């Protein structure tokens, strides 16, 4: 379902930031092993500009959210997608690089995780989720927010990184 409104999607007031404290729960042994294996995979793919997320911070923030559908936009090695599945989300990712799609599918399968990574452009993504996660290029943040505002339902959350240790939660502004 897309947002129905007379206001333009690119209205900067369409989204608001919401406080999302993490639970502080420690990584499970499976989550820790998955992150370590994912980080070890970084050197296996020559992909310009890949910057890893703070997966421990993501784990804590995801743990604080109600479970549902999770989508990682620009999923890279699929580590966030795998962590979401380990936490009980129905998880998937979208990645434009076929080489990273293959690497992430290999990593997920190694741990018996069922999440899928699809090859595609995150800015063209239109499938619904309850939680979207993205660590985008700085120049893409406004485009990501516009795309999110266009497809999000009122309770959908966007976890967006503005740097490795700066992860924020956004939602549609009430009555936007």
């Amino acid at each position: 379902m897309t947002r129905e409104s007379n206001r333009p999607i690119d209205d900067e007031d369409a989204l608001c930031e919401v406080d999302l404290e993490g639970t502080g729960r420690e990584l499970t042994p499976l989550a820790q092993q998955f992150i370590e294996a994912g980080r070890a995979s970084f050197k296996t793919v020559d992909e310009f500009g890949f910057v890893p997320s703070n997966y421990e911070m993501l784990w804590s923030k995801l743990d604080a959210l109600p479970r549902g559908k999770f989508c990682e936009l620009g999923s890279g090695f699929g580590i966030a997608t795998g962590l979401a599945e380990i936490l009980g989300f129905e998880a998937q990712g979208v990645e434009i690089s076929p080489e990273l799609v293959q690497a992430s599918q290999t990593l997920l399968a190694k741990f018996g995780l069922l999440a899928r990574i699809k090859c595609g452009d995150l800015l063209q993504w239109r499938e619904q989720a309850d939680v979207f996660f993205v660590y985008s290029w700085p120049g893409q943040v406004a485009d990501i927010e516009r795309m999110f505002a266009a497809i999000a339902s009122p309770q959908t959350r966007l976890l967006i990184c503005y740097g490795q240790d700066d992860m924020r939660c956004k939602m549609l502004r009430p009555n936007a």
Side-chain angles (χ1 to χ4, degrees):
M1 178 170 24
T2 59
R3 179 171 70 108
E4 299 293 330
S5 172
N6 292 329
R7 296 178 73 177
I9 291 170
D10 62 351
D11 184 345
E12 65 185 41
D13 294 329
L15 301 182
C16 62
E17 195 166 318
V18 294
D19 288 333
L20 179 63
E21 294 296 322
T23 61
R25 183 165 69 116
E26 295 290 321
L27 293 165
T28 64
L30 175 61
Q32 184 64 47
Q33 292 167 1
F34 183 72
I35 291 170
E36 289 171 7
R39 287 178 172 147
S41 298
F42 293 170
K43 61 183 173 239
T44 66
V45 175
D46 184 23
E47 189 63 38
F48 172 75
F50 173 74
V51 179
S53 297
N54 180 330
Y55 301 113
E56 293 79 7
M57 178 188 295
L58 175 63
W59 171 268
S60 181
K61 290 193 182 276
L62 279 178
D63 192 37
L65 293 173
R67 303 313 187 252
K69 290 185 178 183
F70 171 91
C71 183
E72 182 179 13
L73 301 168
S75 55
F77 287 88
I79 297 172
T81 302
L83 290 175
E85 182 178 333
I86 292 167
L87 280 167
F89 287 86
E90 180 185 328
Q92 70 174 339
V94 60
E95 172 57 51
I96 201 164
S97 165
E99 191 173 9
L100 285 173
V101 169
Q102 181 59 49
S104 60
Q105 289 173 338
T106 299
L107 176 64
L108 291 163
K110 178 179 176 180
F111 283 83
L113 299 174
L114 302 175
R116 292 288 164 239
I117 308 296
K118 298 178 181 180
C119 196
D121 183 343
L122 63 93
L123 292 174
Q124 300 301 314
W125 197 252
R126 294 298 179 259
E127 290 189 32
Q128 293 296 305
D130 300 301
V131 177
F132 288 94
F133 171 72
V134 65
Y135 191 161
S136 68
W137 292 97
Q140 285 184 324
V141 169
D143 293 334
I144 295 288
E145 290 178 347
R146 276 191 291 278
M147 182 273 299
F148 175 77
I151 67 172
S153 63
Q155 297 305 311
T156 305
R157 290 173 173 84
L158 172 66
L159 293 178
I160 186 167
C161 295
Y162 290 86
Q164 195 170 37
D165 296 320
D166 184 1
M167 188 179 303
R168 302 176 195 177
C169 183
K170 295 196 173 188
M171 295 176 71
L172 288 177
R173 185 175 300 284
N175 303 316

